[in-house]
Amino acid sequence: MRRLAALDAVYADLDGRAVVTIMGAVAAELQSLGHQPNFFYLQHAMGLASSLGLGIALARPDQSVVVFDGDGSLLMNLGGLTTLARYRPRNLVHVVFDNGSLLSVGGFPTATSTGSDLAQIAKAAGVPRTLTVDTVDTFAEAFREACHADELTTLVAKVEPIGPSGYVTDLSLLENRFQFQRWLIGHGAS
Amino acid sequence: MPVSITHSQMIYDALKASDVRLISALPETWLVHLIRMAEDDADMTLVRLAKEEEGVGISMGAHLAGVKSAMLMQNHGFLAAINGIVSGAQLFRIPLLMLISHRGTFGERDPWQTEGGGVTLSTLNALGIPYDTLDAPDQVLSKIQKAQTLANAALRPVALLLGRDLMWEDA
């Protein structure tokens, strides 16, 4: 599965949800499908996208939140999975694009390429719903189920280590940050 | 343990008066009463962390969602959170209110706290983070409110160091 195809398959489902992505390929690919004011790209602060999503989900229990995480990022904050599981916000869907690689910095393999299983780690951390998918159709179906499950889900999507040719876009970090905040504070329950 | 309940309550009340509704924390001795107060307060969301850097992400999310938050941590936790502070809160201009117990200062008996005590102020200076120390009970409310005011005006992290004379009764 190509990550861009997976994002495209669920793009329409992101309407009205607060979407937080990690840096690099995920941010650039989601933007390439069309930036929206409800998308926030956490460029840098690696590992903290899931924590930031948790902060939104706890601050605004009425607001649906989606985090697009990655294997390299999540491996930097595995302890954060236990915090996610501890508070298990029902309004949070935690997607992990797992390409087994630190793609944007040379493609060096991560520990998921040598057997570490992020869905099993999330399950053992206490996340109530966890699953791994490896096709676009099963991803889209699992994502929609997670959005309506009313229970914290960590959905690991196995994707190919292929990304865009560049990562810098014409959307400045701060423009994105203030636009997203304005949308989030102004946006009612969804 | 001689951690001051009275002064912990003052700090907690000042956070409440500053409209803080979410606290992330990782326990350490000087913070036990503060964390219990947050735990017992039905109007406070307490997020217990595995490591302090998570708290930066959580406070970023809370801020973007319009909720005021604070982080409670030891200075060694602050040292552990630095990348999140720099490449998260500073890069994205987040008004992060950090309450940091300043262990390892004059009077410290625990050998393992001493190294961090010696580098905390110089690290805050290096990062350009405005800070002040809470030592006198009658300044707790004023300093916490002023710290939060600056954080919100500057859209930057600020730190209040919890001093031994405030937190420890037989200091």
Side-chain angles (χ1 to χ4, degrees), chain A residues 44-67:
Chain A
H44 225 317
M46 272 190 76
L48 295 187
S50 54
S51 303
L52 198 150
L54 175 62
I56 297 172
L58 292 175
R60 284 284 302 278
D62 59 308
Q63 173 63 52
S64 168
V65 182
V66 174
V67 173

Side-chain angles (χ1 to χ4, degrees), chain B:
Chain B
M1 70 185 69
V3 180
S4 173
I5 295 176
T6 307
H7 296 162
S8 297
Q9 187 71 56
M10 278 183 190
I11 295 166
Y12 191 75
D13 290 347
L15 291 172
K16 293 285 284 185
S18 305
D19 201 26
V20 168
R21 282 173 41 210
L22 186 151
I23 287 175
S24 66
L26 206 128
E28 82 112 4
T29 305
W30 289 12
L31 301 174
V32 289
H33 299 311
L34 275 164
I35 292 171
R36 293 218 170 97
M37 288 165 194
E39 187 178 52
D40 292 342
D41 181 353
D43 296 326
M44 183 66 75
T45 299
L46 171 66
V47 186
R48 300 168 190 276
L49 306 170
K51 198 162 185 176
E52 290 84 353
E53 192 183 11
E54 293 171 55
V56 179
I58 289 164
S59 277
M60 290 180 73
H63 175 71
L64 296 174
V67 168
K68 290 190 171 63
S69 71
M71 293 177 68
L72 295 180
M73 58 195 162
Q74 193 188 82
N75 44 355
H76 293 84
F78 161 69
L79 295 174
I82 285 176
N83 182 53
I85 292 168
V86 173
S87 70
Q90 291 188 327
L91 184 64
F92 285 95
R93 302 299 295 262
I94 302 293
L96 189 65
L97 180 62
M98 300 184 285
L99 273 65
I100 302 168
S101 57
H102 197 185
R103 301 296 305 271
T105 55
F106 283 5
E108 180 66 60
R109 294 188 183 95
D110 294 342
W112 45 88
Q113 303 291 5
T114 55
E115 204 64 27
V119 302
T120 301
L121 297 183
S122 50
T123 304
L124 284 163
N125 283 323
L127 296 173
I129 296 174
Y131 62 88
D132 202 345
T133 296
L134 294 182
D135 265 329
D138 61 351
Q139 293 183 330
V140 165
L141 176 62
S142 166
K143 284 192 175 182
I144 287 178
Q145 287 184 327
K146 286 174 177 169
Q148 191 193 47
T149 299
L150 176 64
N152 286 330
L155 297 176
R156 286 189 178 282
V158 298
L160 284 162
L161 295 161
L162 307 181
R164 177 174 306 273
D165 290 342
L166 185 73
M167 302 308 292
W168 199 251
E169 286 185 325
D170 70 348

Side-chain angles (χ1 to χ4, degrees), chain A residues 14-46:
Chain A
L14 303 178
D15 187 40
R17 305 184 196 281
V19 178
V20 177
T21 79
I22 57 168
M23 68 187 305
V26 179
E29 287 184 350
L30 183 60
Q31 276 185 74
S32 76
L33 294 170
H35 173 65
Q36 298 293 336
N38 54 314
F39 296 172
F40 177 69
Y41 316 100
L42 183 61
Q43 307 280 13
H44 225 317
M46 272 190 76

